[in-house]
Amino acid sequence: MTKEGRISKESCHQILNDTLSMLKKEPNLLKLKDPVTVVGDIHGQFYDFVKMLDVGGDPENTKYLFLGDYVDRGSFSVEVVLLVYAIKLNYPKTIFLLRGNHEWRQMTAFFNFRIEVLTKYDEDTYSLFMDTFDTLPIGCLVNNKFLAIHGGISPDLKSLDDLNNIKRAKEPPRSGLFCDLLWSDPVEDDSGYCESLFKNNEGRGWSYLFGSAAASKFLN
């Protein structure tokens, strides 16, 4: 893939279908022990991703947790997803993937992932990509101490059981716990916040902003 080739549609679909079957068996909340290398947004930057793997360590014996946002913005989202899925298939005990807020149909249609897939493949392939995104786990508990999610906490998140009870195999809604886990944002200064400890996230148009008080209450 670093030689700028393009795999066949048949091979692409095989990777997607095999990954779909594997991800369906994983829980909403993964549980890992350190050491683990946590990776944030990749956003279609394929060559940066390849370099990161070179620096971070061989996936065969280096545990990775990806926090989502594999697609959009960059021009090589297809290649990023296929590579991370291929690594996941080869090393299922060291590679773990979470869903980000760009792994859903609304965002990929608004940004460039859908157009990229249609240019490189077709509508059926795009639909299959999205089906795999629907099966991605939502969170990960590291050392039974650190909660890793793409976005932030929610006023509807009272315990980890709430996260486990989400029916994740679908397009995320625009409100509620599933949405907030992907979209809510932390702020440094939460002075003046309402008693609920959350403010509407007007910048995004949905979900919430939360500060240290809300985080401390959740952790307690």
Side-chain angles (χ1 to χ4, degrees):
M1 297 180 82
T2 57
K3 296 180 180 180
E4 301 184 9
R6 183 178 303 168
I7 70 172
S8 67
K9 177 181 174 181
E10 291 74 17
S11 296
C12 172
H13 280 219
Q14 181 177 348
I15 292 173
L16 295 176
N17 280 311
D18 289 350
T19 306
L20 182 66
S21 298
M22 179 177 289
L23 292 174
K24 283 181 177 179
K25 299 175 184 177
E26 295 189 344
N28 286 358
L29 181 65
L30 304 171
K31 294 184 178 180
L32 300 179
K33 296 292 185 180
D34 65 5
V36 55
T37 299
V38 181
V39 182
D41 302 9
I42 302 172
H43 278 309
Q45 301 294 336
F46 178 75
Y47 294 100
D48 290 342
F49 178 36
V50 172
K51 180 64 175 179
M52 184 277 299
L53 291 174
D54 287 339
V55 173
D58 189 338
E60 183 175 4
N61 46 45
T62 303
K63 193 182 301 178
Y64 285 96
L65 172 65
F66 293 88
L67 300 182
D69 277 13
Y70 313 97
V71 304
D72 286 331
R73 297 201 173 100
S75 301
F76 302 101
S77 295
V78 165
E79 288 75 17
V80 166
V81 174
L82 291 178
L83 178 55
V84 76
Y85 281 177
I87 297 173
K88 170 70 173 175
L89 291 170
N90 280 278
Y91 307 110
K93 294 184 179 180
T94 59
I95 303 300
F96 299 91
L97 312 174
L98 300 186
R99 191 173 192 170
N101 54 30
H102 278 257
E103 279 71 61
W104 61 339
R105 292 161 185 80
Q106 181 175 349
M107 294 300 291
T108 56
F110 180 80
F111 285 88
N112 60 303
F113 181 61
R114 183 174 184 274
I115 294 175
E116 181 186 336
V117 178
L118 295 183
T119 300
K120 295 177 178 178
Y121 295 104
D122 54 26
E123 187 71 46
D124 289 341
T125 305
Y126 171 74
S127 180
L128 188 52
F129 269 107
M130 300 314 300
D131 288 343
T132 67
F133 293 166
D134 286 342
T135 62
L136 288 166
I138 304 169
C140 179
L141 196 60
V142 180
N143 288 355
N144 204 35
K145 184 176 182 179
F146 301 98
L147 178 62
I149 47 182
H150 179 77
I153 58 175
S154 166
D156 296 324
L157 183 62
K158 308 302 182 184
S159 76
L160 296 181
D161 288 337
D162 297 325
L163 196 155
N164 279 318
N165 291 332
I166 293 174
K167 298 186 184 300
R168 77 175 192 261
K170 62 181 181 180
E171 183 82 346
R174 293 188 60 170
S175 63
L177 177 57
F178 195 178
C179 172
D180 297 338
L181 292 168
L182 301 178
W183 282 101
S184 69
D185 290 319
V187 294
E188 291 186 14
D189 180 12
D190 56 359
S191 61
Y193 271 37
C194 56
E195 292 182 1
S196 66
L197 307 180
F198 291 86
K199 269 187 175 181
N200 289 330
N201 194 334
E202 297 178 358
R204 292 194 182 275
W206 55 69
S207 194
Y208 296 95
L209 300 172
F210 65 93
S212 59
S216 295
K217 182 178 180 181
F218 167 72
L219 291 172
N220 288 330

